[in-house]
Amino acid sequence: MTGPLVFPSSIAIRLDHSSGSSFAVGMTILPRSDMRLAALWMTGAIVSFSAMAVAGRKVTAELDTFELMTYRSIISLVLVLAIAAFAGTLNQINARSIRLHTIRNLSHFAGQNMWFAAITMIPLAQVVALEFTSPIWVALLAPLFLSERLTPLRIFVAILGFIGVLVVARPDLSHIELGSLLASGAAIGFAGSAIATKRLTRHESITCILFWLALMQAVFGLVTAGWDGQITVPSVKLLPWVALVSVTGLGAHFCLTTALKHAPAVIVMPMDFARLPLVAMLGIAFFSETVDIWVFVGAAIIFGANYLNIAAEARRNRALT
């Protein structure tokens, strides 16, 4: 629904030997038209994720994160049902994997709440930089939940990613910044959600996955937001921002999924790095934030670790085809 660009391991690389202009990545040959379409859809994903960060910061001026998740999930549920009805895919919704849906959505709900909390405590660019560790957590956790091997490269990638986190956060051991801890926790939550999603997509449709995502998180939100017996109703002025959080969340993942249909992760993933300077500029423009150069240095290290892992997986999958 929302969150960082997460690429579970073992993503297949496309082989396309179409005639005409092409773009080569290793042994993969992509038509330039596919490259342009992938870039176009990733632009949509980057803009959507960035807009969601700004909208989320605006909304938390009145709502706590649980209330925000409640309203966002209800709006998302309405959108999912409407789109599924239009597309004729309502019959794909079933409860045969309800346990895995529950695990996935608990992980995502925890990660998303920590993410929304983090963007109110530290600069948006710092949150996004720490988000980039999600694929690293996927690589570490996949051997436990997907029966994949923990290779020396994955261990090296994890160490490199941790160094990047230290550069971004530069923690003072006498005063650990809560916002950085929450952003890092959000990355772990998103990684758990990505692993569960990978298992679900083996036998469940996107409509089914999104339906249970929206429904369960609406329930989780109502329970946690109403724990104290009071749920704040957003003001009329705030309603457009609440709607924007929902629409951009769905839109971002639709754009991302479509981009991956046109180009492999090894090409798409570097495009997401453009989200960092965009979010930094939005933080400056909307919230007068200041961005430390070390946030970009640490993000570059994290990006490098991610790219090493995805490029290695691409080579492995290419060797198997």
Side-chain angles (χ1 to χ4, degrees), residues 9-77:
S9 55
S10 303
I11 297 176
I13 283 293
R14 293 178 48 199
L15 292 174
D16 192 336
H17 299 284
S18 303
S19 60
S21 298
S22 61
F23 181 86
V25 182
M27 295 300 292
T28 303
I29 301 175
L30 294 174
R32 289 195 182 277
S33 59
D34 272 12
M35 280 296 300
R36 285 193 290 266
L37 285 171
L40 180 64
W41 284 109
M42 271 308 297
T43 299
I46 290 166
V47 171
S48 296
F49 279 130
S50 302
M52 187 187 64
V54 174
R57 172 77 71 83
K58 292 282 188 180
V59 170
T60 51
E62 290 186 19
L63 306 180
D64 62 35
T65 61
F66 296 131
E67 292 166 340
L68 170 55
M69 287 294 292
T70 300
Y71 292 118
R72 195 199 74 162
S73 298
I74 291 172
I75 294 172
S76 297
L77 180 61

Side-chain angles (χ1 to χ4, degrees), residues 17-253:
H17 299 284
S18 303
S19 60
S21 298
S22 61
F23 181 86
V25 182
M27 295 300 292
T28 303
I29 301 175
L30 294 174
R32 289 195 182 277
S33 59
D34 272 12
M35 280 296 300
R36 285 193 290 266
L37 285 171
L40 180 64
W41 284 109
M42 271 308 297
T43 299
I46 290 166
V47 171
S48 296
F49 279 130
S50 302
M52 187 187 64
V54 174
R57 172 77 71 83
K58 292 282 188 180
V59 170
T60 51
E62 290 186 19
L63 306 180
D64 62 35
T65 61
F66 296 131
E67 292 166 340
L68 170 55
M69 287 294 292
T70 300
Y71 292 118
R72 195 199 74 162
S73 298
I74 291 172
I75 294 172
S76 297
L77 180 61
V78 172
L79 289 173
V80 168
L81 290 174
I83 294 170
F86 178 79
T89 57
L90 284 173
N91 62 338
Q92 296 176 359
I93 299 172
N94 62 78
R96 62 190 173 203
S97 302
I98 196 68
R99 181 173 176 273
L100 190 54
H101 282 295
T102 302
I103 293 171
R104 176 192 188 274
N105 291 316
L106 282 171
S107 180
H108 188 276
F109 185 78
Q112 195 68 78
N113 272 285
M114 286 188 281
W115 188 88
F116 279 127
I119 63 175
T120 67
M121 300 179 185
I122 58 178
L124 297 179
Q126 191 171 344
V127 175
V128 170
L130 293 172
E131 276 183 49
F132 286 143
T133 61
S134 274
I136 298 171
W137 283 107
V138 170
L140 282 178
L141 295 174
L144 297 177
F145 300 102
L146 297 175
S147 301
E148 297 180 358
R149 292 175 55 243
L150 183 61
T151 63
L153 176 63
R154 286 182 174 178
I155 295 173
F156 173 73
V157 162
I159 294 172
L160 190 60
F162 181 68
I163 292 172
V165 170
L166 292 179
V167 173
V168 170
R170 296 186 312 287
D172 179 356
L173 296 181
S174 62
H175 178 67
I176 303 297
E177 195 169 40
L178 180 58
S180 295
L181 290 178
L182 288 171
S184 299
I188 298 173
F190 292 141
S193 174
I195 290 171
T197 301
K198 181 177 179 180
R199 292 185 60 182
L200 283 168
T201 52
R202 293 172 180 172
H203 47 77
E204 300 292 355
S205 70
I206 296 299
T207 295
C208 184
I209 293 171
L210 289 180
F211 168 78
W212 287 112
L213 171 69
L215 178 61
M216 285 188 174
Q217 296 203 94
V219 174
F220 297 158
L222 283 170
V223 171
T224 52
W227 191 259
D228 58 357
Q230 182 179 359
I231 297 179
T232 303
V233 177
S235 64
V236 174
K237 179 182 177 181
L238 202 68
L239 280 176
W241 293 106
V242 175
L244 185 60
V245 170
S246 299
V247 173
T248 52
L250 285 174
H253 282 273

